[in-house]
Amino acid sequence: MDTEALSILVNQIERGTNAARAIQEVMASGEYSPTVWVDGLGYVLDSLNADTKALRRFTDLSRKGAG
């Protein structure tokens, strides 16, 4: 993975984190039932999980290359 791909991955993780924070704020506001946001939160968490796994693969490859 080159630095451009890594930068894109970091950007995706930042966007996912921001989306999770936004959903949490809306859920906490009480304007709508939190159940309205469960699907969106699940999507964000699945995306963050995939991005984290990709980042882990990158760091594992980097370690192997450095050794």
Side-chain angles (χ1 to χ4, degrees):
M1 182 179 286
D2 60 26
T3 55
E4 184 176 346
L6 181 58
S7 179
I8 290 169
L9 181 58
V10 169
N11 188 332
Q12 289 173 197
I13 292 170
E14 288 173 341
R15 285 193 329 246
T17 302
N18 289 339
R21 283 190 183 120
I23 291 170
Q24 188 274 331
E25 287 179 22
V26 171
M27 290 173 81
S29 75
E31 186 173 342
Y32 298 99
S33 168
T35 57
V36 171
W37 301 100
V38 170
D39 287 343
L41 186 57
Y43 175 80
V44 169
L45 292 174
D46 286 346
S47 296
L48 284 170
N49 186 47
D51 293 339
T52 302
K53 286 180 180 179
L55 183 58
R56 173 60 60 200
R57 284 190 299 274
F58 173 76
T59 57
D60 288 347
L61 289 173
S62 295
R63 285 189 190 121
K64 288 178 184 177

